[in-house]
């Protein structure tokens, strides 16, 4: 368990209010890649027709991230200071182990097979102000953060699995 | 690079061509390039349901870019409903995905030997077997296609059973609600044995000035989300227009027998929909306004029916126009037409017409299959879409277009089916009381149309100086006044043409509210994306060129002034209510139409003059450059 030394800020997700506009994907790719391309965005919006759900998938910097131990070359670390899961993009060899490990589908593979992950734009996530319904928020890490995120994202996944 | 794919379904061949930059500047994309391609790829007098009629999917010029509400896609093809210019615009995610797949336009000609769907996948186009999809409704088609491709991220535009059966008002549907509705584009798809177009793309769109685009889009977003109309739309969708238009007697009730529907109060109110039916709001791609209701009927005989929409025209057509006061019935019928892939607007007009005929004794009980078509009878309303689906009874009667329907039911029924000069069923709005709106609507190239010429600013009670500043010329804000209205209508038509060509939703423009986008805001985005130095005048001229291109398509098929004439009922005085006695006066209407033609540079018979075409650099069309 990461020890919190001071106030940490983090991303929260509430899929229930997501409208599926994908402005988060577009601003992300334009900011990071200088082109408009959802396939290269660090956030992804999943679409469910009959359920009427739109689910944002983005790293929520888990307290105990599953991706970190999955990395065979230690390119992923949990930063004690910020609480963020940080990817060393120079070290990363795109093996995709973390992609499989992440329960939220938050780490993505681009069409060029690069593994990409949200880095919160260094503390000023570009997507958050573009989210009209506040389905994604950036604020003080809450103790129930993971539970909350599970309600927003995982509960829907669970439903999908049981009903499949 | 912006490209066009030409798909020949007969020979299963695909050709790809890049779009030269000068043509991009002339016709932009979406509706503009759609008009150019249709004019250049069809001959005079072709049968809309023949393999020669091209079906053109066009992403807007800015569709897919990081720009507000630029997510729309246009479909163009000669209309099976009217035999005139046909096109329709829809939101959702197909347009952007087309751009990410490498194509701004897909021109589909020919006819597949068996049911087929197209997979447009990152620059490649595959012809895939759709025999298992044939006969499925629009929701099922999308689910099964995802299954077939093992990829739920594919974006699909498809037809339901109505399109397969060549119902002349079949639409093309994407997701649950997004549809290219009017003018029967779904029937063209059906005539080509084309069940669906599935799109998948991961190619990025290059931007000339990324930082500038980022700044502009964020600025525009922050501005629009602080407007009142944004707050209203994200809560009510455009359902608020149902209340507004009912109160101001701007709708039509029981097939044009009244303009106000007091019976609906306390039953088919917007707030009842919000409390009892609406679950949440969803959005098209790239739009923060999220105006799409997701609804469930939670109790009663229709319990469990889920759908998306409705917009304000649904409570009008399935409520007031059909004399029905219950949300349950309206929503259940609306959802049914969505599933079958029927354009609910055109369909609703027929439904009201049949009920009117029954009430007048012009339709026997045998003709209706034993079902009483009384006003608001839920049984009739619920069975009619099924009859269309089965190709039986009254369903068959209305499926083959208005002329055919009148022929089958007798000439005495014609006067009760209100159609505009181009043969399209008139929208259930009381346009005769508004001058610019009536002119703008009735002169639309695809037939009477609120999305082309409706001048919403006309009846908002704006001060004269505010309205004049928006339009750019002195404009009289009195909706009943006849002066200055010809230019108002042209301004509105050009603004809407520009939106459709760029892929911009009209809910973000001054079509919808005075404090939203005019020409300047999209222009900023165009220049940031392309690095051009386009001016407002050039953008205005591009819109004018597109409008004239559509007009030339109709003129080639022999259209003239007569086709710009409103339905006869508009010249008859309103019988009751606050606007009793008002109507279009024929001489004033004709003077207005003359003024409109003069301003457009057309002859008094409504034909673009050679010098106008030269000025717009389109006198050599068809040039077959693409």
């Amino acid at each position: 368990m990461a020890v919190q030394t001071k106030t940490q800020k983090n991303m929260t997700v509430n899929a229930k209010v997501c409208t599926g506009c994908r402005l988060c994907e577009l601003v992300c790719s334009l900011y990071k890649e200088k082109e408009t391309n959802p396939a290269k965005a660090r956030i992804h919006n999943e679409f469910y027709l009959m359920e009427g759900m739109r689910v944002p998938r983005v790293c929520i910097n888990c307290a105990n991230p599953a991706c970190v131990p999955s990395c065979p070359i230690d390119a992923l670390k949990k930063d004690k200071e910020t609480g963020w899961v940080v990817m060393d993009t120079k070290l990363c060899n795109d093996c995709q182990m973390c992609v499989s490990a992440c329960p939220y589908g938050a780490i993505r593979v681009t069409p060029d097979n690069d593994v990409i992950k949200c880095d919160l734009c260094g503390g000023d996530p570009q997507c958050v102000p573009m989210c009209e319904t506040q389905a994604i928020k950036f604020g003080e890490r809450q103790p129930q953060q993971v539970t909350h995120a599970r309600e927003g994202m995982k509960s829907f996944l669970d439903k999908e699995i049981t009903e499949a | 690079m912006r490209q066009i794919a030409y798909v020949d379904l007969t020979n299963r061949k695909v050709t790809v061509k890049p779009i030269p930059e000068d043509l991009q500047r002339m016709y932009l994309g979406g509706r503009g390039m759609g008009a150019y391609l249709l004019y250049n790829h069809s001959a005079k007098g072709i049968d809309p349901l023949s393999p020669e009629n091209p079906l053109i999917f066009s992403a807007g010029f800015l569709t897919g870019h990081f720009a507000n509400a630029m997510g729309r896609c246009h479909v163009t093809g000669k209309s099976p409903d009217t035999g005139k210019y046909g096109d329709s615009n829809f939101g959702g995610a197909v347009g952007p995905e087309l751009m990410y797949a490498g194509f701004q336009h897909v021109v589909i000609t020919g006819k597949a030997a068996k049911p087929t769907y197209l997979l447009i996948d990152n620059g490649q186009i595959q012809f895939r077997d759709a025999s298992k999809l044939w006969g499925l409704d629009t929701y099922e088609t999308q689910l099964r296609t995802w299954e077939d491709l093992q990829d739920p991220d594919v974006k699909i535009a498809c037809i339901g059973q109505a399109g397969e059966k060549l119902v002349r008002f079949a639409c093309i549907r994407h997701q649950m609600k997004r549809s290219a509705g009017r003018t029967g584009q779904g029937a063209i798809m059906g005539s080509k044995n084309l069940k669906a177009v599935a799109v998948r793309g991961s190619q990025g769109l290059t931007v000339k000035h990324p930082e500038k685009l980022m700044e502009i889009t964020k600025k525009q977003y922050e501005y629009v989300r602080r407007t009142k109309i944004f707050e209203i739309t994200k809560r009510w969708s455009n359902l608020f227009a149902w209340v507004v238009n009912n109160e101001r007697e701007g709708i039509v009730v029981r097939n044009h027998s009244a303009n106000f529907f007091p019976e609906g109060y306390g039953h088919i109110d917007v707030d009842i929909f919000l409390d009892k039916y609406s679950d949440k709001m969803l959005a098209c791609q790239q739009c923060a306004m999220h105006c799409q209701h997701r609804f469930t009927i939670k109790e009663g005989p229709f319990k469990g029916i889920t759908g998306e929409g409705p917009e304000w025209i649904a409570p009008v057509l399935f409520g007031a126009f059909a004399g029905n006061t219950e949300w349950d019935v309206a929503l259940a019928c609306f959802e049914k037409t969505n599933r079958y892939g029927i354009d609910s607007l055109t369909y609703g007009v027929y439904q009201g017409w049949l009920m009117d005929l029954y009430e007048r004794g012009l339709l026997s009980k045998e003709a209706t299959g034993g079902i009483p078509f009384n006003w608001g009878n839920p049984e009739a309303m619920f069975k009619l879409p099924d009859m269309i689906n089965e190709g039986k009874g009254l369903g068959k009667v209305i499926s083959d277009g208005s002329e055919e329907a009148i022929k089958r039911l007798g000439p005495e029924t014609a006067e009760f089916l209100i159609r505009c000069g181009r043969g399209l069923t008139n929208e259930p709005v009381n346009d005769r009381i508004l001058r610019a709106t009536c002119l703008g609507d009735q002169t639309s190239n695809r037939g009477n149309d609120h999305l082309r010429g409706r001048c919403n600013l006309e009846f908002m009670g704006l001060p004269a100086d505010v309205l004049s500043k928006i339009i750019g010329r002195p404009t009289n804000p009195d909706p009943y006044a006849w002066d200055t209205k010809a230019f108002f209508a042209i301004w509105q038509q050009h603004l809407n043409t520009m939106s459709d060509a760029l892929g911009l939703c009209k809910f973000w423009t001054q079509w919808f509210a005075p404090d939203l986008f005019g020409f300047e805001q999209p222009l900023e985005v165009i220049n940031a994306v392309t690095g051009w130095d386009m001016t407002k005048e050039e953008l205005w001229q591009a819109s004018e060129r597109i409008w004239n291109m559509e007009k030339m398509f109709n003129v080639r098929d022999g259209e003239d002034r007569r086709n710009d004439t409103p339905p006869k009922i508009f010249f008859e005085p309103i019988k009751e209510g606050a606007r009793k006695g008002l109507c279009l006066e024929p001489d004033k209407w004709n003077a207005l139409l003359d003024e409109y033609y003069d301003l457009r540079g057309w002859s008094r018979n409504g034909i673009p003059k050679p010098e106008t075409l030269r000025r717009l650099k389109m006198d050599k069309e068809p040039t077959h450059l693409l």
Side-chain angles (χ1 to χ4, degrees), chain A residues 73-134:
Chain A
I73 52 168
D74 292 339
L76 282 164
K77 288 206 170 60
K78 172 95 179 162
D79 189 307
K80 287 204 175 95
E81 188 74 15
T82 57
W84 300 344
V85 176
V86 184
M87 179 190 271
D88 185 337
T89 45
K90 287 207 184 87
L91 200 58
C92 172
N93 63 359
D94 301 324
C95 76
Q96 303 186 13
M97 289 299 279
C98 55
V99 180
S100 320
C102 176
Y104 300 116
I107 307 180
R108 303 197 66 213
V109 186
T110 69
D112 312 325
N113 285 325
D114 290 332
V115 172
I116 51 172
K117 180 195 158 300
C118 169
D119 63 358
L120 294 154
C121 300
D124 177 24
Q126 297 291 307
C127 52
V128 170
M130 293 306 294
C131 186
E132 167 58 30
T133 56
Q134 299 190 322

Side-chain angles (χ1 to χ4, degrees), chain B residues 273-562:
Chain B
F273 175 81
L274 250 63
D275 291 347
K276 275 181 71 180
Y277 299 93
S278 181
D279 298 329
K280 65 190 287 191
M281 300 298 275
L282 296 169
C284 287
Q285 176 156 340
Q286 293 167 242
C287 179
M289 210 180 262
H290 57 93
C291 69
Q292 173 183 354
H293 287 283
R294 168 106 188 167
F295 69 83
T296 317
I297 301 178
K298 298 187 179 70
E299 53 195 12
F302 302 114
K303 186 179 169 179
I305 289 180
T306 301
E308 282 166 19
E311 296 199 2
W312 80 279
I313 216 84
V316 176
L317 279 167
F318 294 94
F321 199 77
N324 161 50
T325 54
E326 297 306 323
W327 268 118
D328 275 13
V329 178
L331 291 173
C333 295
F334 168 73
E335 200 264 351
K336 206 165 195 178
T337 57
N338 283 356
R339 275 187 180 268
Y340 287 148
I342 298 168
D343 168 33
S344 53
L345 206 164
T346 313
Y347 165 81
V349 175
Y350 282 117
Q351 176 185 262
W353 176 57
L354 292 175
M355 288 177 159
D356 196 12
L357 295 181
Y358 186 83
E359 293 272 353
R360 286 173 195 274
L362 292 170
L363 199 61
S364 67
K365 215 166 177 178
E366 290 76 60
T368 64
I371 303 164
F373 263 64
N374 295 105
W375 290 123
N377 179 10
E379 194 195 356
M381 290 174 70
F382 210 60
K383 286 272 169 66
L384 191 57
D386 292 338
M387 289 191 232
I388 293 176
N389 181 29
E390 291 155 8
K392 283 183 191 155
L394 282 181
K396 183 65 191 162
V397 167
I398 58 173
S399 288
D400 296 324
S402 53
E403 281 300 327
E404 209 43 51
I406 290 165
K407 218 181 276 173
R408 287 167 188 170
L409 292 178
E412 68 280 10
T413 61
E415 66 171 300
F416 304 108
L417 182 62
I418 308 303
R419 292 177 298 165
C420 69
R422 285 180 181 77
L424 197 64
T425 48
N426 215 75
E427 290 173 347
V429 285
N430 187 17
D431 275 354
R432 70 186 118 173
I433 55 175
L434 308 162
R435 312 309 180 199
T437 295
C438 189
L439 179 66
D441 276 8
Q442 297 295 332
T443 50
S444 297
N445 291 313
R446 70 170 185 181
N448 133 282
D449 200 332
H450 69 288
L451 289 162
R452 297 292 151 90
R454 188 175 181 78
C455 305
N456 284 319
L457 301 186
E458 191 182 15
F459 46 88
M460 285 184 182
L462 295 177
D465 56 331
V466 174
L467 184 64
S468 303
K469 198 177 159 201
I470 292 173
I471 309 294
R473 282 192 191 190
T475 306
N476 191 340
D478 176 8
Y480 308 133
W482 290 88
D483 62 310
T484 67
K485 294 305 174 72
F487 185 78
F488 193 168
I490 291 174
W491 174 85
Q492 189 69 70
Q493 290 175 338
H494 286 184
L495 184 75
N496 291 358
T497 309
M498 186 259 322
S499 316
D500 288 338
L502 297 179
L504 172 64
C505 178
K506 295 188 190 80
F507 282 16
W508 282 66
T509 70
Q510 284 169 336
W511 175 77
F512 200 45
D515 42 4
L516 296 175
F517 294 179
F519 288 89
E520 291 84 0
Q521 294 86 343
L523 184 65
E524 273 187 300
V525 183
I526 295 177
N527 287 337
V529 167
T530 58
W532 294 346
D533 53 354
M534 198 181 239
T535 58
K536 197 184 153 190
E537 287 68 34
E538 193 182 345
L539 188 58
W540 169 275
Q541 202 179 55
S543 306
E544 188 181 3
R545 183 177 296 118
I546 296 164
W547 191 272
N548 277 276
M549 181 57 89
E550 295 171 346
K551 181 75 186 173
M552 286 310 288
F553 180 91
N554 280 340
V555 168
R556 187 170 66 182
D557 276 357
E559 154 171 313
D560 56 26
R561 186 184 178 109
R562 279 169 301 175

Side-chain angles (χ1 to χ4, degrees), chain B residues 223-238 240-241 244 289 291 456 460 506-517:
Chain B
Y223 168 73
V224 171
R225 68 189 292 232
R226 277 170 176 75
T227 58
K228 254 185 199 163
I229 191 72
F230 188 93
E231 284 298 315
I232 293 170
T233 312
K234 76 178 197 189
R235 182 164 154 71
W236 280 280
S237 171
N238 71 351
F240 70 84
V244 175
M289 210 180 262
C291 69
N456 284 319
M460 285 184 182
K506 295 188 190 80
F507 282 16
W508 282 66
T509 70
Q510 284 169 336
W511 175 77
F512 200 45
D515 42 4
L516 296 175
F517 294 179

